[in-house]
Amino acid sequence: MTCKEKILSEEYYDWITDFELTPQLLAVNQKEEDYCYKRLENGVGIAYVKKETGNSLSLWNYPYQYIPNIYGIQAISQDSNSVFDPKALELSGIIDIQNGPLQLSGRDVVLGFLDTGIDYQNRVFLRRDGSSRILAIWDQTDQNGTPPEGFDYGSQYRREEITGALQTDNPYSVVPTRDEVGHGTALAAVAAGSSQTASGFIGAAYEADIVMVKLKPCKSYLREYYLLPQEALAYQENDILAALTYLDSFAQSFFRPLVVCFGLGSNWGSHTGKSVLEKYCNYFANKRSRIFVIGGGNQGSGGTHYQGTFVPNQERLVDGSSLRTEVELKVGKEPQGILLEFWGKAPNTFSLSIVSPSGERIPSSGDTLQDGQYGFVLTSTLVTVASTPVENVTGEQRIVIRMENPTEGLWTFRIRQQENIGKGSFSLRLPLNRFLSGETYFLQGNPGITLTLPSLAEEVITVAGYNSTNGSAYIESGRGFSGDGKIKPDICAPAVGILSPIRSLTEENKLQAYTGNSMAAAIAAGACALFMEWAVVQKNMPYLSCSTVKNYFIRGARREGIYSYPNSMHGYGWLDLKKAIEESRKV
């Protein structure tokens, strides 16, 4: 079996390693024909290893950080609109930079995306002569073409092929890649779409070049492990790591500045910025002329996160409950199940028990669940528990709770702190709300620390969202700070009702509205591309890192007197590209 076949096969597990995995190490437990290993950068690699059993729960025998996390998209489409309103770009200081003395357009900057793909036939991705503005598409789902150099799966289509396909009667017969969802197309259009006279639409960096990675859906065994709905759009971490490596290589080969727009997120993890993916983003963001813009997610309503704190030498929590607190989870009609994570701050340790809607308690005696599977007499729910007293990367206590076929109703999690060593803080986290039915949430959920991974990476530009139509907060926007107190988000940008062109059989310039923090990321990424054109392409500030650009954006952010800054909703303020460039010209 070839490496490509192993990468795509459901009979092979995908492992992420944050150390150099040599053939000698792999050969200790595996025959050479039973694995494939792909080295990325910065010591990160991906191993594809033949399953030991057909049961996805065998994954629990392996360290947590090696199992790929699962990511979902961060915007939803709404009612269409035929009139483009540039207010979101105006408030972000982008229109002034496009039309003012600088006349910036993103020329010679590469905007990279990893998402659901791109509709390359859309007019907003064409030059005036009809040629494509897309440098390349790596479609990880298409196995009929040639993969990019250094990768074993998917098909790469370069600009020449795409432009040639557009000149035929049936472009998809030449370049078959599509965006069936529309999310990736919307991000690319908002960040880099060409102006359209009929609709009035214009993207932020309307002459930037575009590279798109269409991510392949996560494998079925991971979908089963994480108890995801079959219809959920879900992508796995190792394919994202490969996509980032690919995007970086493109900037190197063209000697261009690269701005990566990341519109996906995950609610699982420690939320301290220490995941493999977040460290990988930091690695690339520390390179010169590499900018990473990541949306902070849409979990800010608080329904998917519960935060508790035990106060030392007191019999009560800060929220007024007893030393043993109870967390109530309303479970709706979940067709398959729910995977929750408990994270307890070191050096404290915590115990956990669960009470079903019918009043049955597990464990039936003692304070804490041990690793293993638990059933109930009065319900068909099966609970599986896997715990780590000291998790390898964060040092925190972690408990994974997997609830198969959970009974509808009110579930109670009883948390007890074992020792009083300072303040004992803990979090319980559900999956992304888009992976739930909408009827499952914590009754006393906390909107704080709800930024999604990987937006807690320290070096990247993390963007929250607001409503540009009336200046109000976007209530679903993920909020900071990080789980270990780092200031995130950095800035906020428009995220509500952002218009993007879609093709249709009857209306070539029909506009579709999208709401979510990936739209805020797209606008901010377009602004970064304009900034990099002025700074790097025009050689005004040729040596820039992501942290430098981030600080100029922070300095130039618009701030209102009714708030203190930084704050957990807006970071250091509202994106204003014009002021950011003005700040950089003071140097």
Side-chain angles (χ1 to χ4, degrees):
M1 183 178 282
T2 65
C3 191
K4 176 180 179 178
E5 291 171 322
K6 294 170 185 175
I7 290 171
L8 300 174
S9 173
E10 290 286 348
E11 297 306 312
Y12 282 73
Y13 283 147
D14 298 6
W15 301 120
I16 297 172
T17 64
D18 54 0
F19 57 89
E20 191 71 18
L21 189 58
T22 64
Q24 291 78 14
L25 285 173
L26 272 168
V28 171
N29 296 312
Q30 299 291 335
K31 298 178 182 178
E32 185 174 350
E33 62 268 21
D34 288 342
Y35 69 85
C36 172
Y37 177 68
K38 303 302 296 183
R39 183 182 294 106
L40 299 181
E41 294 191 36
N42 198 36
V44 173
I46 306 169
Y48 305 90
V49 182
K50 192 171 184 178
K51 288 182 182 180
E52 294 179 4
T53 73
N55 187 347
S56 68
L57 285 180
S58 64
L59 289 175
W60 290 36
N61 298 324
Y62 296 88
Y64 172 84
Q65 71 269 27
Y66 300 157
I67 304 172
N69 199 349
I70 299 299
Y71 288 76
I73 60 177
Q74 292 186 341
I76 59 172
S77 59
Q78 300 171 308
D79 293 338
S80 59
N81 192 321
S82 58
V83 179
F84 179 69
D85 182 357
K87 190 172 183 179
L89 298 185
E90 290 173 350
L91 289 173
S92 301
I94 292 172
I95 295 295
D96 283 344
I97 293 302
Q98 290 176 338
N99 299 332
L102 295 179
Q103 296 281 301
L104 297 178
S105 62
R107 185 187 296 270
D108 291 329
V109 177
V110 177
L111 261 164
F113 304 86
L114 52 159
D115 215 277
T116 62
I118 189 167
D119 176 10
Y120 68 85
Q121 295 190 58
N122 195 311
R123 291 180 181 270
V124 296
F125 304 127
L126 305 182
R127 293 192 175 103
R128 292 180 180 177
D129 63 4
S131 63
S132 179
R133 290 176 48 227
I134 302 172
L135 282 177
I137 303 170
W138 177 22
D139 187 340
Q140 295 182 349
T141 71
D142 177 6
Q143 311 307 325
N144 297 313
T146 303
E149 183 178 355
F151 299 91
D152 295 285
Y153 65 109
S155 300
Q156 177 181 244
Y157 300 99
R158 304 295 289 262
R159 171 181 281 167
E160 297 77 14
E161 297 172 90
I162 297 169
T163 297
L166 291 169
Q167 296 170 355
T168 67
D169 293 334
N170 184 9
Y172 289 130
S173 66
V174 181
V175 176
T177 181
R178 303 170 184 254
D179 180 7
E180 297 87 352
V181 179
H183 187 266
T185 297
L187 263 66
V190 168
S194 304
S195 61
Q196 297 294 295
T197 304
S199 66
F201 173 84
I202 188 169
Y206 57 89
E207 287 191 316
D209 288 316
I210 298 166
V211 180
M212 172 64 74
V213 179
K214 179 179 179 179
L215 298 168
K216 70 177 180 67
C218 71
K219 287 186 175 181
S220 296
Y221 83 88
L222 284 171
R223 190 177 291 272
E224 178 188 350
Y225 169 75
Y226 285 105
L227 294 170
L228 299 176
Q230 288 303 312
E231 69 278 5
L233 297 170
Y235 308 96
Q236 58 191 71
E237 189 175 8
N238 53 298
D239 290 325
I240 293 171
L241 291 166
L244 294 178
T245 310
Y246 171 79
L247 293 175
D248 179 70
S249 69
F250 240 93
Q252 289 179 359
S253 62
F254 280 83
F255 302 100
R256 305 265 198 93
L258 168 70
V259 179
V260 173
C261 177
F262 198 111
L264 308 174
S266 176
N267 206 39
W268 289 304
S270 70
H271 288 66
T272 57
K274 297 178 181 178
S275 69
V276 174
L277 178 55
E278 286 166 321
K279 291 178 180 178
Y280 208 55
C281 290
N282 284 335
Y283 165 73
F284 285 119
N286 278 318
K287 291 187 176 184
R288 288 181 177 177
S289 300
R290 304 290 190 274
I291 310 299
F292 271 63
V293 181
I294 301 180
N298 310 312
Q299 307 302 304
S301 64
T304 59
H305 173 229
Y306 182 92
Q307 181 81 22
T309 303
F310 292 92
V311 179
N313 302 319
Q314 294 185 16
E315 289 298 316
R316 309 186 73 79
L317 290 174
V318 292
D319 62 5
S321 59
S322 65
L323 185 61
R324 184 192 69 192
T325 190
E326 294 190 347
V327 181
E328 294 179 317
L329 172 67
K330 181 185 181 301
V331 173
K333 296 179 180 179
E334 296 297 337
Q336 187 167 356
I338 309 167
L339 188 141
L340 305 89
E341 289 185 351
F342 172 95
W343 291 87
K345 288 291 182 184
N348 290 285
T349 57
F350 304 85
S351 63
L352 170 69
S353 60
I354 304 175
V355 181
S356 74
S358 62
E360 290 183 84
R361 177 176 175 269
I362 55 169
S364 56
S365 62
D367 287 332
T368 189
L369 289 168
Q370 303 297 321
D371 290 2
Q373 289 190 329
Y374 299 83
F376 296 86
V377 176
L378 301 178
T379 175
S380 60
T381 304
L382 180 65
V383 174
T384 308
V385 176
S387 61
T388 306
V390 181
E391 197 266 329
N392 288 346
V393 176
T394 63
E396 297 185 0
Q397 181 184 3
R398 176 187 56 82
I399 305 173
V400 178
I401 306 151
R402 191 173 181 273
M403 302 173 64
E404 296 180 68
N405 191 30
T407 298
E408 190 174 356
L410 195 63
W411 290 78
T412 302
F413 296 84
R414 292 177 176 171
I415 315 295
R416 185 185 293 277
Q417 183 172 306
Q418 301 292 80
E419 296 182 74
N420 269 337
I421 310 175
K423 289 186 177 180
S425 297
F426 67 89
S427 291
L428 270 166
R429 295 189 182 275
L430 291 167
L432 292 176
N433 48 27
R434 70 178 305 110
F435 292 159
L436 297 168
S437 68
E439 300 175 344
T440 298
Y441 53 88
F442 292 115
L443 293 187
Q444 294 179 309
N446 190 317
I449 318 180
T450 50
L451 294 168
T452 52
L453 277 65
S455 68
L456 293 152
E458 191 167 2
E459 303 298 331
V460 309
I461 299 175
T462 302
V463 188
Y466 75 95
N467 189 337
S468 58
T469 59
N470 56 21
S472 65
Y474 169 43
I475 192 66
E476 299 294 337
S477 179
R479 304 181 195 180
F481 296 123
S482 73
D484 56 357
K486 290 192 296 288
I487 295 172
K488 288 287 180 177
D490 300 300
I491 56 173
C492 64
V496 178
I498 307 302
L499 294 173
S500 172
I502 60 171
R503 294 188 309 119
S504 73
L505 295 175
T506 58
E507 300 173 84
E508 186 64 34
N509 296 293
K510 184 178 180 182
L511 298 178
Q512 182 77 47
Y514 287 83
T515 291
N517 265 4
S518 57
M519 295 297 109
I523 290 174
C528 286
L530 298 178
F531 189 96
M532 295 300 279
E533 179 190 5
W534 176 82
V536 177
V537 176
Q538 297 182 6
K539 296 181 168 41
N540 290 297
M541 300 178 69
Y543 304 109
L544 289 179
S545 66
C546 189
S547 60
T548 305
V549 175
K550 175 169 64 176
N551 282 318
Y552 282 125
F553 275 60
I554 286 172
R555 289 183 182 183
R558 190 173 69 255
R559 288 177 269 274
E560 297 182 3
I562 60 174
Y563 300 103
S564 59
Y565 298 91
N567 63 64
S568 63
M569 291 186 66
H570 312 111
Y572 287 93
W574 286 257
L575 169 66
D576 191 327
L577 174 62
K578 181 180 178 182
K579 289 185 178 179
I581 292 179
E582 289 172 354
E583 286 292 325
S584 67
R585 299 177 81 173
K586 293 178 182 179
V587 177

